[in-house]
Amino acid sequence: MVPPGNVASWPMQATYAEKGDWQGLMKYNAQATKSKPAPQRAATAVAEPSDDLTQINGIGPRISSILNDGGITNYGQLEHSNSGDLRQIVATGGALPPSSLDSWPMQASYASRGD
């Protein structure tokens, strides 16, 4: 999965993330989004069914909405995401990544099997 945003901004975003400066990253992303319109998403031929991501420990309605905006709408997508991409999506959405984030892909693998 490719993190959202302008490719030119990734080095700066990575610097904030590497330092663990999530507040700085959120401010940087907020400033960057004020100066440009939101990107338009291309329509997909086959829409994947969405899942209730709030069933995953640590994902509430706000984080679920942020993940959906970042292109993660079901357990399969979440299961195959890596922690770095998830942190980027959550931070870009204006939230602090919760401590349970690293467990989301594993939880999603269980949820996708109905466990």
Side-chain angles (χ1 to χ4, degrees):
M1 171 184 282
V2 176
N6 183 339
V7 174
S9 68
W10 291 353
M12 180 58 81
Q13 291 171 333
T15 302
Y16 284 111
E18 184 175 58
K19 294 177 188 175
D21 184 4
W22 304 114
Q23 293 290 334
L25 178 60
M26 289 182 347
K27 289 177 185 175
Y28 175 81
N29 289 334
Q31 184 63 32
T33 57
K34 285 181 185 176
S35 62
K36 59 186 172 189
Q40 297 296 320
R41 291 193 179 161
T44 56
V46 177
E48 294 184 44
S50 61
D51 291 316
D52 182 6
L53 299 180
T54 62
Q55 297 302 305
I56 303 294
N57 181 37
I59 300 179
R62 180 170 180 231
I63 297 291
S64 178
S65 177
I66 290 170
L67 289 172
N68 287 185
D69 291 345
I72 298 177
T73 60
N74 62 47
Y75 298 135
Q77 293 166 331
L78 184 57
E79 177 182 359
H80 293 99
S81 297
N82 69 52
S83 296
D85 290 344
L86 292 172
R87 286 184 195 289
Q88 179 71 26
I89 291 169
V90 170
T92 299
L96 292 174
S99 61
S100 62
L101 182 142
D102 292 330
S103 71
W104 293 353
M106 179 62 73
Q107 291 183 62
S109 71
Y110 289 119
S112 67
R113 294 188 307 250
D115 232 352

